[in-house]
Amino acid sequence: MTFEFALAYFVAVFIFSITPGPGIFALIARALKQGSRACWGLALGMTMSDIVYLLLVVWGLAYIANQYQVVFLLIRWGGAAYLFYLAWHMWHAPIELDTTPAQTTRSKGANFVVSYAEGMLISGTNPKVMLFYIAFLPTFIDLTQLTNEGVILVVSLNFLALMLGLMLVAYGASRARTLFRQPKSVRVMNRITALLMSSAGAVILSR
């Protein structure tokens, strides 16, 4: 794999990572509410879910999406239902300003695991991810010529491009979060977060 090809693939995945979709909506919502540091687990979960799709395609298992449509449909509905639940919870959330003490290491670890699982669920049920890795990827890469070293390189490029794109989105949203310091603004932020979450669920169901 040439440097030019690797760079082109990296840019393509980076652009894909920042295009609007359920994952981006969820990431922005988390960053607005808790800041960019709280988005690491969510971004990593989404990235690892994407890599699972990538490996399935590389190993010739793309037919699963057609053979088990009912299973994929149930998973999508479950993911959408979870996002709607989060949206309802955020819409009715009490007004809280950022005056709470820092979390303990243990609670941070627990939240990271939960965020990671949420990221896996959101990305795993995102039709955009399925479409990209099942339809677009084989037209971008000749999978029959991809060696083991090539697979490792592609996975590495995917990981770096996705994490870079997702965390840049999270950082940008987090910077906007600093503007919200009054109870009324926090209420507006909660409502925006709820709308983003419900939008993510609606996008999943509409595809």
Side-chain angles (χ1 to χ4, degrees):
M1 185 181 297
T2 64
F3 173 78
E4 290 78 10
F5 174 83
L7 180 60
Y9 181 76
F10 180 89
V11 172
V13 175
F14 176 81
I15 294 174
F16 163 74
S17 72
I18 62 176
T19 54
I24 292 297
F25 291 151
L27 197 70
I28 292 174
R30 178 65 56 79
L32 283 174
K33 182 61 179 177
Q34 300 177 5
S36 59
R37 291 185 179 181
C39 294
W40 280 102
L42 190 64
L44 184 60
M46 289 190 286
T47 297
M48 296 309 297
S49 181
D50 280 32
I51 289 176
V52 169
Y53 277 116
L54 169 65
L55 292 176
L56 288 176
V57 174
V58 169
W59 291 333
L61 299 179
Y63 71 92
I64 291 179
N66 293 321
Q67 296 295 326
Y68 301 97
Q69 292 183 9
V70 174
V71 175
F72 272 82
L73 184 62
L74 292 176
I75 293 174
R76 285 174 56 190
W77 286 353
Y82 180 67
L83 288 174
F84 285 130
Y85 165 76
L86 292 179
W88 180 88
H89 180 75
M90 187 59 63
W91 186 272
H92 297 281
I95 304 303
E96 297 179 358
L97 300 179
D98 295 330
T99 57
T100 56
Q103 293 176 304
T104 64
T105 302
R106 183 175 180 179
S107 64
K108 285 182 179 180
N111 289 337
F112 182 89
V113 172
V114 172
S115 295
Y116 179 87
E118 290 175 353
M120 289 285 291
L121 176 64
I122 292 171
S123 185
T125 58
N126 183 0
K128 184 184 73 170
V129 178
M130 298 179 189
L131 178 63
F132 181 80
Y133 289 107
I134 293 177
F136 174 74
L137 183 62
T139 67
F140 198 89
I141 299 176
D142 185 357
L143 299 178
T144 62
Q145 303 297 322
L146 200 60
T147 63
N148 291 334
E149 291 77 9
V151 172
I152 294 175
L153 177 58
V154 169
V155 169
S156 300
L157 290 172
N158 253 69
F159 182 86
L160 293 174
L162 289 170
M163 287 299 295
L164 177 62
L166 293 174
M167 289 310 299
L168 282 177
V169 170
Y171 178 75
S174 178
R175 295 291 294 177
R177 172 177 173 259
T178 61
L179 300 176
F180 297 94
R181 294 299 182 187
Q182 300 300 321
K184 183 177 180 181
S185 298
V186 173
R187 182 181 294 107
V188 172
M189 182 175 64
N190 286 347
R191 298 294 170 85
I192 293 175
T193 300
L195 291 174
L196 287 171
M197 284 292 186
S198 59
S199 297
V203 169
I204 290 177
L205 291 179
S206 66
R207 302 296 178 83

